Amino acid sequence: MEKKLTKSLDKKIWGICGGLAQYFGLEITVARAAYAILTLLCGFFPGIIIYLVLYFIMPEAEAK
């Protein structure tokens, strides 16, 4: 089965971090915390831009 990067159905905001966690095999909480820490360390603005770009390019997950 082929892995596909999609938005997660377990959404807090838009499902981006959940989708990344599922794709890379991480816990969702770990992915969200890592993204928040990286966003704060690298500057707030680039993290928001990356999140918005991912929102527009990642497809929605299909309900099972």
Side-chain angles (χ1 to χ4, degrees):
M1 184 172 174
E2 155 185 343
K3 281 173 55 171
K4 239 180 145 179
L5 181 60
T6 60
K7 295 176 189 171
S8 174
L9 295 176
D10 180 16
K11 297 180 180 186
K12 288 292 181 185
I13 298 178
W14 289 323
I16 305 301
C17 289
L20 291 171
Q22 289 172 352
Y23 185 79
F24 290 112
L26 302 170
E27 290 289 325
I28 294 175
T29 305
V30 172
R32 288 177 181 144
Y35 191 83
I37 290 169
L38 286 172
T39 298
L40 292 173
L41 291 177
C42 296
F44 192 69
F45 187 70
I48 299 299
I49 296 299
I50 291 169
Y51 200 87
L52 288 172
V53 168
L54 288 174
Y55 171 72
F56 288 111
I57 65 171
M58 284 175 68
E60 294 287 334
E62 297 177 9
K64 293 182 180 180

